[in-house]
Amino acid sequence: MNSSANKCPELLAPAGSMESLRAAVNAGADAVYTGGSMFGARAYAENADTPALLEGIHYAHLHGVHVHLTVNTLMKDRELALLPAYLSPYYEAGLDAAIVQDIGAFSLLHRQFPLLPLHASTQTTVTGPYSGLFWKQLGAARLIPARELSLEELKEVKRVTGIEIETFVHGALCYSYSGQCLMSSLIGGRSGNRGRCAQTCRLPYALQKDGRRMNRKGEAYLLSCRDLCSLDLIPVLAEAGIDSFKIEGRMKGPRYTAGVVEIWRRYLDRYAAEGPEGYHVEDRDRRQLLDLFDRGGQTPGYFFQHNGSEMLALSGKPEFREENAALSERLDQSYLREEKQIPIRGNAVFAAGQPMHFRLSCPGAEAEAVGECPECANTCGAKEAEVRTRMMKMGGTPFHLEHLELSLSEGLFLPVGQLNALRRDAVTSLEQALCSRFHRERVDPKAHNDRDQEKDVFPLPAEKKGKIRFLHVSCESEAQIAAALSCPEVTELSFDADCIPAKDWKKWAMEIRKSGKKVYIGTPQIFRAEADRFFSRHAEALIDTGADGLVMRSLEAPGFFRALYEAHGKPLPPFCFDYQVYGMNREARRVLAACGAFRLTLPVELNRAELSELGCSGSELVAAGRLSMMVTAQCLKKTVSGCDGVPALFMLRDRRGMDMPVKNRCSFCFNQIFNALPLSLVGMREQVKELGPESIRVLLTTENEAESRQVIQQCAASFLRGERVSEPYEHFTRGHMKRGVQ
């Protein structure tokens, strides 16, 4: 039975074009999310220009539907400066929310437009309550956590932060954690963080171990997830307190939008009316969803499952699926050709000696038009049926007049032109009343953008600026640590916590410190419940290392470790952020410094000119090693041979024969895929010196001891001693140092 407890979440639909926006509204969406001409994470969608988007906002608001604008790309300094002026007209038109990824953009928008709700994009990789609190403190009104989170994790984020939670319920799934994928960027220069993903995960691959292929040829699409469909889980998700159900699909057409929204609207309404008892999904609706789009089956997602081969379209997308012509025609007719009409009520008064009145109303607004005083008719007066027909004509308007109260005195002369004008004025006034309730007063785009953009948040003494002061080596094995210890010019050495047994942490920390080097503990790129349990279990071992600091690779880590150390009566050690935490602009660097970081690792997607503009003082530059391209909850080892809980190294071979190392990080239950070519800036010594980073980072991932020693020595000779040396790798890449990303 219906109950007030059956709170119906918001249904949020994609609008990759204005046609899709109208289709979503017509089919019953509560809100739509769309991109404008800039800063959207779907650069190849049919994003609207300013006039079209303002028209779309007007149309949605007319029907009581909210509009969320995607501003969810990482922004360079010059771009960030354009953001307030870009957003101003939409803010004034009543934009309901902005979806944001970039830390600097988030900070700037919250300061510039304090009345605009900001939603932390799924690109921000919120994986737990601490990262949720970070964004809440930065001004977030809603979180869109990582799609890989379980329902229990989502509930915990909601419980701790107390703000709205939005989650994807239908559509495409990325193989990588959103916001943590550099695969398209490093391979082809098209950054997923900038809305230009080339979808390299949808290509075929071969997984190899010790030269032997592990996956069958007919199952080559190892990184291609099936599409998400959690229609069966509406009662569970709603009762867990999820506030917004999000449908993916801004790159898909309006027919897809209409068909998916139609079904989700029906089942949400069914749940709201009847509750969870007897709730079930009919087979015909499952078939309709597959008729609309089929990538090789559907999956209910990660709500109750961490990973698994059944979540993947291993055989690829079906080559051909016959169109359901009847479905297409019905959707076109119902939602694309015909526009949704708003039912309204009217009251018209025509009396002798009084101005004509026509009042229109609907939930949320009412309006009235006043005309001239009618004259008396020379012969017979206006007939009620004719006047009623004239006043109820709503053709070409968004309204349907379902009831009209008409008061008409006898013997009045009512010219058709005056009646039409009275009706048009009332309709126009009602339309304005419906939309003006969303409007805001203008804000000067420069009013709050008063930060000193030239001030460096990581200052160095004048005599140290422009000098590379030391070498920092990151290790993932004991052999690599041994290699780094043999080089006296290594000042800082960090090792990943999961790559060395916890019982040996203190021993290696003492060895590192004995050699006169600082020791740092590396934390995982993805910090979820597994990482929480891991470090809670080994808390005393961690504290006993007496580490000089921590390397944080997520926004979840600082809050967790601060609480962990405080629980043991210890202060949080100094920490730096690695390159996976994006400080792409000065505003972002300022926010990250305020978190307590003593140093940032410079973004790997900026080129030399952009890094120079950003400023590298007091920061670290990755100059050698394999970059992490993708980190995923899925496990390639489990996919092809099952899970045994034992970390291993695989090679993922692409169509060009390039081999990308893959590590399954079992302690934290994620896979990490590295670039096939290691980065080397050794041959760009002078250009790197001109940038003036404080330190150089060497990333050791798959190298043995001898290989590690060679890389370290070449980097020390080049960057610290200024020697002209050969490259440390036979085959390598300059990364984005020259080309950058679009």
PDB file of all heavy atoms in Angstrom, residues 477-505:
ATOM      1  N   SER A 477      58.671  -2.338  -4.529  1.00  0.00           N
ATOM      2  CA  SER A 477      59.243  -3.635  -4.156  1.00  0.00           C
ATOM      3  C   SER A 477      60.494  -3.411  -3.316  1.00  0.00           C
ATOM      4  O   SER A 477      61.087  -2.325  -3.334  1.00  0.00           O
ATOM      5  CB  SER A 477      59.596  -4.464  -5.398  1.00  0.00           C
ATOM      6  OG  SER A 477      60.736  -3.917  -6.042  1.00  0.00           O
ATOM      7  N   GLU A 478      60.914  -4.452  -2.598  1.00  0.00           N
ATOM      8  CA  GLU A 478      62.120  -4.366  -1.775  1.00  0.00           C
ATOM      9  C   GLU A 478      63.360  -4.210  -2.651  1.00  0.00           C
ATOM     10  O   GLU A 478      64.310  -3.515  -2.270  1.00  0.00           O
ATOM     11  CB  GLU A 478      62.218  -5.605  -0.889  1.00  0.00           C
ATOM     12  CG  GLU A 478      61.085  -5.692   0.127  1.00  0.00           C
ATOM     13  CD  GLU A 478      61.181  -6.921   1.020  1.00  0.00           C
ATOM     14  OE1 GLU A 478      61.924  -7.855   0.650  1.00  0.00           O
ATOM     15  OE2 GLU A 478      60.527  -6.935   2.071  1.00  0.00           O
ATOM     16  N   ALA A 479      63.377  -4.840  -3.837  1.00  0.00           N
ATOM     17  CA  ALA A 479      64.520  -4.703  -4.737  1.00  0.00           C
ATOM     18  C   ALA A 479      64.681  -3.254  -5.193  1.00  0.00           C
ATOM     19  O   ALA A 479      65.813  -2.749  -5.319  1.00  0.00           O
ATOM     20  CB  ALA A 479      64.341  -5.624  -5.950  1.00  0.00           C
ATOM     21  N   GLN A 480      63.570  -2.587  -5.435  1.00  0.00           N
ATOM     22  CA  GLN A 480      63.639  -1.189  -5.847  1.00  0.00           C
ATOM     23  C   GLN A 480      64.134  -0.302  -4.710  1.00  0.00           C
ATOM     24  O   GLN A 480      64.898   0.647  -4.931  1.00  0.00           O
ATOM     25  CB  GLN A 480      62.262  -0.737  -6.340  1.00  0.00           C
ATOM     26  CG  GLN A 480      61.825  -1.424  -7.632  1.00  0.00           C
ATOM     27  CD  GLN A 480      60.356  -1.232  -7.946  1.00  0.00           C
ATOM     28  OE1 GLN A 480      59.623  -0.590  -7.175  1.00  0.00           O
ATOM     29  NE2 GLN A 480      59.891  -1.789  -9.058  1.00  0.00           N
ATOM     30  N   ILE A 481      63.734  -0.612  -3.482  1.00  0.00           N
ATOM     31  CA  ILE A 481      64.236   0.139  -2.330  1.00  0.00           C
ATOM     32  C   ILE A 481      65.749  -0.023  -2.227  1.00  0.00           C
ATOM     33  O   ILE A 481      66.492   0.949  -2.010  1.00  0.00           O
ATOM     34  CB  ILE A 481      63.558  -0.321  -1.025  1.00  0.00           C
ATOM     35  CG1 ILE A 481      62.062  -0.031  -1.067  1.00  0.00           C
ATOM     36  CG2 ILE A 481      64.197   0.374   0.178  1.00  0.00           C
ATOM     37  CD1 ILE A 481      61.301  -0.526   0.148  1.00  0.00           C
ATOM     38  N   ALA A 482      66.211  -1.249  -2.395  1.00  0.00           N
ATOM     39  CA  ALA A 482      67.649  -1.505  -2.323  1.00  0.00           C
ATOM     40  C   ALA A 482      68.397  -0.697  -3.376  1.00  0.00           C
ATOM     41  O   ALA A 482      69.481  -0.145  -3.110  1.00  0.00           O
ATOM     42  CB  ALA A 482      67.916  -2.995  -2.492  1.00  0.00           C
ATOM     43  N   ALA A 483      67.835  -0.597  -4.577  1.00  0.00           N
ATOM     44  CA  ALA A 483      68.475   0.183  -5.638  1.00  0.00           C
ATOM     45  C   ALA A 483      68.523   1.660  -5.276  1.00  0.00           C
ATOM     46  O   ALA A 483      69.535   2.341  -5.506  1.00  0.00           O
ATOM     47  CB  ALA A 483      67.723  -0.022  -6.950  1.00  0.00           C
ATOM     48  N   ALA A 484      67.445   2.180  -4.720  1.00  0.00           N
ATOM     49  CA  ALA A 484      67.403   3.595  -4.347  1.00  0.00           C
ATOM     50  C   ALA A 484      68.365   3.900  -3.205  1.00  0.00           C
ATOM     51  O   ALA A 484      68.975   4.975  -3.156  1.00  0.00           O
ATOM     52  CB  ALA A 484      65.978   3.988  -3.966  1.00  0.00           C
ATOM     53  N   LEU A 485      68.531   2.953  -2.289  1.00  0.00           N
ATOM     54  CA  LEU A 485      69.449   3.158  -1.171  1.00  0.00           C
ATOM     55  C   LEU A 485      70.889   3.264  -1.647  1.00  0.00           C
ATOM     56  O   LEU A 485      71.722   3.915  -0.994  1.00  0.00           O
ATOM     57  CB  LEU A 485      69.312   2.013  -0.168  1.00  0.00           C
ATOM     58  CG  LEU A 485      68.042   1.993   0.681  1.00  0.00           C
ATOM     59  CD1 LEU A 485      67.983   0.740   1.542  1.00  0.00           C
ATOM     60  CD2 LEU A 485      67.954   3.234   1.548  1.00  0.00           C
ATOM     61  N   SER A 486      71.203   2.638  -2.769  1.00  0.00           N
ATOM     62  CA  SER A 486      72.581   2.641  -3.265  1.00  0.00           C
ATOM     63  C   SER A 486      72.973   3.951  -3.927  1.00  0.00           C
ATOM     64  O   SER A 486      74.139   4.150  -4.259  1.00  0.00           O
ATOM     65  CB  SER A 486      72.766   1.494  -4.269  1.00  0.00           C
ATOM     66  OG  SER A 486      72.038   1.746  -5.463  1.00  0.00           O
ATOM     67  N   CYS A 487      72.003   4.831  -4.142  1.00  0.00           N
ATOM     68  CA  CYS A 487      72.291   6.118  -4.794  1.00  0.00           C
ATOM     69  C   CYS A 487      72.294   7.228  -3.750  1.00  0.00           C
ATOM     70  O   CYS A 487      71.240   7.569  -3.198  1.00  0.00           O
ATOM     71  CB  CYS A 487      71.263   6.418  -5.871  1.00  0.00           C
ATOM     72  SG  CYS A 487      71.552   7.990  -6.730  1.00  0.00           S
ATOM     73  N   PRO A 488      73.456   7.822  -3.441  1.00  0.00           N
ATOM     74  CA  PRO A 488      73.531   8.844  -2.385  1.00  0.00           C
ATOM     75  C   PRO A 488      72.750  10.110  -2.706  1.00  0.00           C
ATOM     76  O   PRO A 488      72.409  10.876  -1.808  1.00  0.00           O
ATOM     77  CB  PRO A 488      75.034   9.126  -2.294  1.00  0.00           C
ATOM     78  CG  PRO A 488      75.598   8.702  -3.606  1.00  0.00           C
ATOM     79  CD  PRO A 488      74.764   7.554  -4.053  1.00  0.00           C
ATOM     80  N   GLU A 489      72.413  10.341  -3.993  1.00  0.00           N
ATOM     81  CA  GLU A 489      71.730  11.581  -4.366  1.00  0.00           C
ATOM     82  C   GLU A 489      70.214  11.487  -4.223  1.00  0.00           C
ATOM     83  O   GLU A 489      69.505  12.454  -4.484  1.00  0.00           O
ATOM     84  CB  GLU A 489      72.117  11.953  -5.800  1.00  0.00           C
ATOM     85  CG  GLU A 489      73.567  12.429  -5.884  1.00  0.00           C
ATOM     86  CD  GLU A 489      74.086  12.438  -7.308  1.00  0.00           C
ATOM     87  OE1 GLU A 489      74.042  11.386  -7.951  1.00  0.00           O
ATOM     88  OE2 GLU A 489      74.515  13.516  -7.767  1.00  0.00           O
ATOM     89  N   VAL A 490      69.710  10.339  -3.834  1.00  0.00           N
ATOM     90  CA  VAL A 490      68.289  10.215  -3.515  1.00  0.00           C
ATOM     91  C   VAL A 490      68.072  10.774  -2.111  1.00  0.00           C
ATOM     92  O   VAL A 490      68.658  10.292  -1.143  1.00  0.00           O
ATOM     93  CB  VAL A 490      67.824   8.748  -3.583  1.00  0.00           C
ATOM     94  CG1 VAL A 490      66.381   8.625  -3.104  1.00  0.00           C
ATOM     95  CG2 VAL A 490      67.956   8.213  -5.006  1.00  0.00           C
ATOM     96  N   THR A 491      67.253  11.794  -2.017  1.00  0.00           N
ATOM     97  CA  THR A 491      66.992  12.442  -0.729  1.00  0.00           C
ATOM     98  C   THR A 491      65.759  11.877  -0.051  1.00  0.00           C
ATOM     99  O   THR A 491      65.727  11.741   1.174  1.00  0.00           O
ATOM    100  CB  THR A 491      66.812  13.962  -0.926  1.00  0.00           C
ATOM    101  OG1 THR A 491      67.996  14.479  -1.536  1.00  0.00           O
ATOM    102  CG2 THR A 491      66.568  14.672   0.401  1.00  0.00           C
ATOM    103  N   GLU A 492      64.727  11.567  -0.856  1.00  0.00           N
ATOM    104  CA  GLU A 492      63.478  11.036  -0.316  1.00  0.00           C
ATOM    105  C   GLU A 492      63.146   9.710  -0.997  1.00  0.00           C
ATOM    106  O   GLU A 492      63.330   9.571  -2.208  1.00  0.00           O
ATOM    107  CB  GLU A 492      62.325  12.024  -0.525  1.00  0.00           C
ATOM    108  CG  GLU A 492      62.480  13.322   0.240  1.00  0.00           C
ATOM    109  CD  GLU A 492      61.290  14.252   0.052  1.00  0.00           C
ATOM    110  OE1 GLU A 492      60.371  13.922  -0.744  1.00  0.00           O
ATOM    111  OE2 GLU A 492      61.277  15.304   0.703  1.00  0.00           O
ATOM    112  N   LEU A 493      62.653   8.787  -0.201  1.00  0.00           N
ATOM    113  CA  LEU A 493      62.297   7.480  -0.723  1.00  0.00           C
ATOM    114  C   LEU A 493      60.943   7.094  -0.142  1.00  0.00           C
ATOM    115  O   LEU A 493      60.748   7.149   1.069  1.00  0.00           O
ATOM    116  CB  LEU A 493      63.364   6.457  -0.340  1.00  0.00           C
ATOM    117  CG  LEU A 493      63.386   5.114  -1.085  1.00  0.00           C
ATOM    118  CD1 LEU A 493      64.765   4.473  -0.960  1.00  0.00           C
ATOM    119  CD2 LEU A 493      62.330   4.156  -0.587  1.00  0.00           C
ATOM    120  N   SER A 494      60.018   6.732  -1.016  1.00  0.00           N
ATOM    121  CA  SER A 494      58.703   6.284  -0.550  1.00  0.00           C
ATOM    122  C   SER A 494      58.447   4.876  -1.065  1.00  0.00           C
ATOM    123  O   SER A 494      58.928   4.500  -2.135  1.00  0.00           O
ATOM    124  CB  SER A 494      57.600   7.233  -1.037  1.00  0.00           C
ATOM    125  OG  SER A 494      57.572   7.329  -2.447  1.00  0.00           O
ATOM    126  N   PHE A 495      57.728   4.096  -0.284  1.00  0.00           N
ATOM    127  CA  PHE A 495      57.324   2.772  -0.740  1.00  0.00           C
ATOM    128  C   PHE A 495      55.846   2.568  -0.460  1.00  0.00           C
ATOM    129  O   PHE A 495      55.313   3.028   0.546  1.00  0.00           O
ATOM    130  CB  PHE A 495      58.177   1.663  -0.111  1.00  0.00           C
ATOM    131  CG  PHE A 495      58.096   1.558   1.390  1.00  0.00           C
ATOM    132  CD1 PHE A 495      57.069   0.861   2.012  1.00  0.00           C
ATOM    133  CD2 PHE A 495      59.079   2.144   2.184  1.00  0.00           C
ATOM    134  CE1 PHE A 495      57.007   0.747   3.400  1.00  0.00           C
ATOM    135  CE2 PHE A 495      59.021   2.036   3.568  1.00  0.00           C
ATOM    136  CZ  PHE A 495      57.987   1.341   4.177  1.00  0.00           C
ATOM    137  N   ASP A 496      55.186   1.882  -1.409  1.00  0.00           N
ATOM    138  CA  ASP A 496      53.750   1.643  -1.280  1.00  0.00           C
ATOM    139  C   ASP A 496      53.477   0.632  -0.181  1.00  0.00           C
ATOM    140  O   ASP A 496      54.114  -0.424  -0.116  1.00  0.00           O
ATOM    141  CB  ASP A 496      53.172   1.160  -2.608  1.00  0.00           C
ATOM    142  CG  ASP A 496      52.970   2.297  -3.591  1.00  0.00           C
ATOM    143  OD1 ASP A 496      53.469   3.404  -3.324  1.00  0.00           O
ATOM    144  OD2 ASP A 496      52.321   2.071  -4.628  1.00  0.00           O
ATOM    145  N   ALA A 497      52.496   0.923   0.650  1.00  0.00           N
ATOM    146  CA  ALA A 497      52.249   0.122   1.850  1.00  0.00           C
ATOM    147  C   ALA A 497      51.875  -1.319   1.527  1.00  0.00           C
ATOM    148  O   ALA A 497      52.195  -2.228   2.302  1.00  0.00           O
ATOM    149  CB  ALA A 497      51.146   0.772   2.678  1.00  0.00           C
ATOM    150  N   ASP A 498      51.214  -1.554   0.402  1.00  0.00           N
ATOM    151  CA  ASP A 498      50.747  -2.908   0.108  1.00  0.00           C
ATOM    152  C   ASP A 498      51.795  -3.763  -0.603  1.00  0.00           C
ATOM    153  O   ASP A 498      51.565  -4.949  -0.846  1.00  0.00           O
ATOM    154  CB  ASP A 498      49.468  -2.861  -0.724  1.00  0.00           C
ATOM    155  CG  ASP A 498      49.687  -2.241  -2.097  1.00  0.00           C
ATOM    156  OD1 ASP A 498      50.448  -1.260  -2.173  1.00  0.00           O
ATOM    157  OD2 ASP A 498      49.097  -2.726  -3.080  1.00  0.00           O
ATOM    158  N   CYS A 499      52.919  -3.175  -0.959  1.00  0.00           N
ATOM    159  CA  CYS A 499      53.925  -3.909  -1.729  1.00  0.00           C
ATOM    160  C   CYS A 499      54.997  -4.559  -0.858  1.00  0.00           C
ATOM    161  O   CYS A 499      55.852  -5.292  -1.359  1.00  0.00           O
ATOM    162  CB  CYS A 499      54.582  -2.978  -2.741  1.00  0.00           C
ATOM    163  SG  CYS A 499      53.429  -2.380  -3.983  1.00  0.00           S
ATOM    164  N   ILE A 500      54.962  -4.257   0.429  1.00  0.00           N
ATOM    165  CA  ILE A 500      55.921  -4.818   1.383  1.00  0.00           C
ATOM    166  C   ILE A 500      55.122  -5.296   2.590  1.00  0.00           C
ATOM    167  O   ILE A 500      54.224  -4.581   3.056  1.00  0.00           O
ATOM    168  CB  ILE A 500      56.954  -3.763   1.807  1.00  0.00           C
ATOM    169  CG1 ILE A 500      57.791  -3.337   0.593  1.00  0.00           C
ATOM    170  CG2 ILE A 500      57.863  -4.278   2.914  1.00  0.00           C
ATOM    171  CD1 ILE A 500      58.665  -2.142   0.861  1.00  0.00           C
ATOM    172  N   PRO A 501      55.400  -6.477   3.129  1.00  0.00           N
ATOM    173  CA  PRO A 501      54.667  -6.937   4.314  1.00  0.00           C
ATOM    174  C   PRO A 501      54.739  -5.917   5.442  1.00  0.00           C
ATOM    175  O   PRO A 501      55.792  -5.317   5.691  1.00  0.00           O
ATOM    176  CB  PRO A 501      55.382  -8.244   4.687  1.00  0.00           C
ATOM    177  CG  PRO A 501      56.008  -8.712   3.417  1.00  0.00           C
ATOM    178  CD  PRO A 501      56.395  -7.473   2.660  1.00  0.00           C
ATOM    179  N   ALA A 502      53.618  -5.717   6.119  1.00  0.00           N
ATOM    180  CA  ALA A 502      53.559  -4.702   7.182  1.00  0.00           C
ATOM    181  C   ALA A 502      54.600  -4.945   8.267  1.00  0.00           C
ATOM    182  O   ALA A 502      55.133  -3.998   8.855  1.00  0.00           O
ATOM    183  CB  ALA A 502      52.153  -4.668   7.780  1.00  0.00           C
ATOM    184  N   LYS A 503      54.924  -6.212   8.519  1.00  0.00           N
ATOM    185  CA  LYS A 503      55.913  -6.521   9.562  1.00  0.00           C
ATOM    186  C   LYS A 503      57.299  -6.014   9.199  1.00  0.00           C
ATOM    187  O   LYS A 503      58.178  -5.871  10.079  1.00  0.00           O
ATOM    188  CB  LYS A 503      55.957  -8.022   9.805  1.00  0.00           C
ATOM    189  CG  LYS A 503      56.414  -8.856   8.610  1.00  0.00           C
ATOM    190  CD  LYS A 503      56.382 -10.334   8.919  1.00  0.00           C
ATOM    191  CE  LYS A 503      56.807 -11.181   7.723  1.00  0.00           C
ATOM    192  NZ  LYS A 503      58.154 -10.859   7.227  1.00  0.00           N
ATOM    193  N   ASP A 504      57.521  -5.713   7.903  1.00  0.00           N
ATOM    194  CA  ASP A 504      58.832  -5.243   7.454  1.00  0.00           C
ATOM    195  C   ASP A 504      58.892  -3.735   7.248  1.00  0.00           C
ATOM    196  O   ASP A 504      59.942  -3.205   6.871  1.00  0.00           O
ATOM    197  CB  ASP A 504      59.218  -5.951   6.149  1.00  0.00           C
ATOM    198  CG  ASP A 504      59.423  -7.444   6.344  1.00  0.00           C
ATOM    199  OD1 ASP A 504      59.792  -7.845   7.460  1.00  0.00           O
ATOM    200  OD2 ASP A 504      59.195  -8.198   5.376  1.00  0.00           O
ATOM    201  N   TRP A 505      57.795  -3.051   7.453  1.00  0.00           N
ATOM    202  CA  TRP A 505      57.783  -1.601   7.238  1.00  0.00           C
ATOM    203  C   TRP A 505      58.840  -0.909   8.089  1.00  0.00           C
ATOM    204  O   TRP A 505      59.615  -0.087   7.609  1.00  0.00           O
ATOM    205  CB  TRP A 505      56.408  -1.017   7.570  1.00  0.00           C
ATOM    206  CG  TRP A 505      55.325  -1.356   6.602  1.00  0.00           C
ATOM    207  CD1 TRP A 505      55.455  -1.959   5.384  1.00  0.00           C
ATOM    208  CD2 TRP A 505      53.930  -1.114   6.773  1.00  0.00           C
ATOM    209  NE1 TRP A 505      54.234  -2.113   4.790  1.00  0.00           N
ATOM    210  CE2 TRP A 505      53.276  -1.599   5.610  1.00  0.00           C
ATOM    211  CE3 TRP A 505      53.163  -0.544   7.775  1.00  0.00           C
ATOM    212  CZ2 TRP A 505      51.895  -1.519   5.447  1.00  0.00           C
ATOM    213  CZ3 TRP A 505      51.786  -0.461   7.612  1.00  0.00           C
ATOM    214  CH2 TRP A 505      51.167  -0.942   6.459  1.00  0.00           C
TER     215      TRP A 505
END
